[in-house]
Amino acid sequence: MRLFVKARGFVRNLFSSPRVEMDLDEEVHAHLELLTEENIRAGMPTAEARRAARIELGGIEQVKEQVREERLGNWLHSVLSDCRYGLRQLRKNPGSTAVMVFTLALAIGATTAIFSVVYGVLLRPLPYTDANRIMAVFEVNSNGGWSHLADPNFDDFRDQNRSFQAIAKYNQNIVSVSGVSQPSRTMVGGVSPDFLKIFGVQPILGRDFSASDAKKGAARTVLVSYGYWRQYLGSSPDLSQAHLKIDGAVYSVIGVLPDGFRFPADVDLWLPADLDGENPSRTSHNYYAVGRLRDGVTVEQANRDISAIARRIHDTSSEQGDYLLKDGIVLPLQDSITGKARPALLVLLGAVGFLLLVACANVANLLLAQASVRERELAIRSALGAARGRLIRQFLTEAFLLSLVGGGLGVIGAFWGVAALVGLAPQNLPRLDSVSINIPVLVFAFLLSTAVAAGLGAFTAARATSGDLRKGLEEGGRGQAGSQSSQRVGRAIVAAQIAITLVLVVGAGLLGRSLMKVLEVNPGFRVDKIVTMDVSLPWVEDPKAKASQAIFFANLIERLKRIPGVGRVGATSGLPMDGGLPNGMFLLMTQNELPKTADGFGALLQQKERLGTADFCVATDEYFQALGIPLIRGRVFDERDGTDAPHVAVISESLARDKWPNQDPIGHTIEFGNMDGDPRLLTIVGIVGDIHDYGLDAPPRPTAYVNLFQRPRAAITVTMLSDADTRLVTSSARGILQDLDPEIPAKFRTFSQVYSASLGSRRFNVILTGFFGVVALLLATAGVFGVMAYSVSRRTREIGVRVALGAGSGDVLRMILSQGLRTIFVGVAIGIAGSLALTRTVESLLFGVTATDPLTFGGVTVLLVGAALLASFIPARRATKVDPMVALRYE
């Protein structure tokens, strides 16, 4: 009860301020009357007794302040009082307040949105138990590049390592799936038995794979994702009757994985990896590998362990060549997923950080200008006994009010910003589904707002309360010395703004020029008017089954040509800019040299001059014509190249130049059977132009094209050159495919979409850095204008005196502009030096330009100086219009 009474009294003290103040005033006056009566009784006259009592008491207001400071809860009263006063001050200048709040909201919102992406992609832990213990394992080839694992190499890593609790292999592929509500093209992962144990995941329904499920010839089983189970299996708890037809084979569903588990990315179905047996070659790199470290084992120890096994394989293997591993490497799984995205995202985070600095500099200048106007107020408060700490606290409070309002609006804006970023982000950016405004992001936004408030408040307070404030009351309170000092600080802030803006805009300019250079590259193929259709038949090994698939594709292509508006119809195993092609080694040989045994091939592989490396692509004749890939020499495939005819190949110009320099490769024969299992020789019949298969910024790769109807492939992409409406073409093509086989789904795209997606990363970087650069440029220009306008307003009397003494408009204009030019050139000089140092961080993102590109530096410098000069000229021009009589009368 006593505690409740105290609490009620505390609350009453907090929220009954007028009554408490009235009681305090009565108490102090009563005390003063007692002292006065004592002095009168001591023989003093009444007036002298009252004066002595006031002196002894020390001043009524000072006594009240001391009592307030001792009173419980006074700190909250003081804070509320500061907040109320701060709000009044901000309300007195609604224009400046709105600009400051908007500037902070824009900067904090943009920073929060970018941090959301960085956190979701790079920093957010993977959603698995002890995710930091999950590692990715790669082979390292002779060139130092990382590659997938070959089956025998994985087996050795798994059996000989001493660092992992478990290690598993996996791959992923899109296949046709039927046997459910509707056929679909679904991402399927092939995994070894310990795969789920590594992630600490168990099926929520059914069971995991057992060792017997992965043996060659075992009954076919499949695990499904939670989403697939809901969408295609109707959420049925009884899996005994659930069967899927995957790639032509029937699989029994044995388990449903938890909601949210999708590894590898976008996989919905998981199959045992080795149902058809392992590939015995140590140079066929078909699998990724992932493992969980044993307790107490570090990444470095695991690296040494795997590296030792890899080197031992290399030294003892009978297989040789560039495709045999030379070493092994282990790194955290999260780093392997996000490694390629890290540089670009960190650059964007740095860019938005620069934008935040420019915004804070703008707000600091506005606060400094307001503080200069309040010099007389501060001097009066100091003269009345306010300590410097009390004044500093007031400025801090005002800065916190600004920052919290700006930060709150910024967070609201960040919600839209994150949605826009996710929509704008390239589809190959990993972990996009993890990007959101969540608790860590909100904590970051709050801490950022607090840091901005503390920085702005401390800076403004330090400047506003430096020196002897009481001197501000001298000479009518003009405070010219203080204003001059404030102007110098303001110009220094503007110089810093210009320097930071120049760094940011130079970075945006370099990325923009890189994008323009990329777009200038001739891709080597047509982009417009191409409709693509992805089709997957079941994977088969039997030659007769392959021949029937070739007939199926021939019929499909022939019928697609009859669609109104469709011209050329081709097919390929790998569309340019859509993930790349498999590559491998081929052998130069003649029919007479074709060995009868595998040992004979081994002997030929020792002859380095016979070996070549190329990408392997299956295509039809009209594929080249539909995409406009030029024929350089010879011919492409035609009716002579039937199933029973000698197999032929068309090679790219770069392959002809690399492997047959100064000679004609047409008529030469090569063996490329390691790519599709067909050892028959390929006779080169033509040379076609190079294409940029891996992106416009990647050089063309040597490529060998084989005929689809001689070397059938189960999964192809049909390319249709058409002037007709895309929707009509896709609708007709889907009907034709369903008529041929209703269980085979198709995916349709335009080639323009594929081409545009290949530029997504560069476009994403350019748009964001360009936006930050433009905003920073506007803020810097506004900063120059604000400082110059403030300087002119503070120097109105001086300008009036100069004009009265005979100074002309040109003299005044030059005086004001020279002041602005000095600030601008100092900022530009610092900015150029900073840009030369910092733009090297974006060097890996550039194409066709250097990090010190003089054209970019020169153009950005001219743009920034021009904008800053315009911002200086307007207030300078206004200064020439000052009427000396009005200026002197005003002062």
Side-chain angles (χ1 to χ4, degrees), residues 190 224 341 372 460 475-476 526 672 716:
V224 303
S372 297
T460 310
E475 298 181 5
R526 182 201 311 273
F672 216 163
I716 66 164

Side-chain angles (χ1 to χ4, degrees), residues 58-237:
I60 293 176
E61 293 304 320
Q62 286 83 348
V63 170
K64 287 183 180 180
E65 190 65 28
Q66 290 175 5
V67 173
R68 293 190 192 104
E69 290 178 358
E70 296 294 331
R71 182 186 296 154
L72 179 65
N74 177 67
W75 64 271
L76 185 55
H77 275 299
S78 180
V79 168
L80 293 175
S81 176
D82 285 345
C83 289
R84 286 193 296 268
Y85 185 75
L87 288 173
R88 286 199 300 272
Q89 287 295 326
L90 295 176
R91 226 175 15 243
K92 283 173 60 178
N93 301 282
S96 296
T97 300
V99 169
M100 288 187 287
V101 168
F102 175 77
T103 301
L104 290 176
L106 178 64
I108 292 173
T111 306
T112 301
I114 291 294
F115 178 78
S116 299
V117 176
V118 171
Y119 178 80
V121 174
L122 300 182
L123 304 179
R124 189 173 190 172
L126 295 175
Y128 313 121
T129 304
D130 293 330
N132 61 323
R133 309 289 297 169
I134 303 176
M135 300 291 125
V137 183
F138 293 93
E139 293 183 14
V140 179
N141 59 34
S142 58
N143 298 321
W146 299 355
S147 61
H148 304 167
L149 273 63
D151 283 333
N153 298 339
F154 167 78
D155 292 342
D156 288 345
F157 286 167
R158 179 194 60 202
D159 298 336
Q160 299 176 25
N161 86 85
R162 294 172 294 176
S163 303
F164 293 95
Q165 294 177 14
I167 185 169
K169 64 183 179 182
Y170 67 93
N171 61 13
Q172 60 191 96
N173 194 27
I174 294 180
V175 299
S176 298
V177 180
S178 59
V180 287
S181 56
Q182 59 185 24
S184 66
R185 287 175 53 82
T186 303
M187 186 72 76
V188 173
V191 302
S192 57
D194 287 335
F195 181 77
L196 292 182
K197 295 177 184 176
I198 291 167
F199 295 94
V201 171
Q202 288 295 320
I204 60 171
L205 187 64
R207 64 175 179 87
D208 190 3
F209 294 126
S210 64
S212 60
D213 290 321
K215 291 182 178 179
K216 183 177 180 180
R220 297 181 180 271
T221 55
V222 59
L223 296 170
V224 303
S225 70
Y226 182 83
Y228 193 92
W229 175 62
R230 293 286 302 271
Q231 182 176 357
Y232 291 101
L233 300 179
S235 304
S236 173

Side-chain angles (χ1 to χ4, degrees), residues 616-661:
F616 185 82
C617 181
V618 180
T620 64
D621 57 335
E622 292 198 9
Y623 165 71
F624 302 102
Q625 297 158 7
L627 263 63
I629 300 174
L631 177 65
I632 306 298
R633 193 158 62 255
R635 67 176 178 88
V636 293
F637 314 125
D638 58 27
E639 65 278 356
R640 289 172 285 179
D641 306 317
T643 305
D644 299 325
H647 286 201
V648 297
V650 174
I651 64 173
S652 66
E653 190 176 11
S654 58
L655 179 55
R657 184 172 55 249
D658 293 349
K659 198 59 191 173
W660 290 275

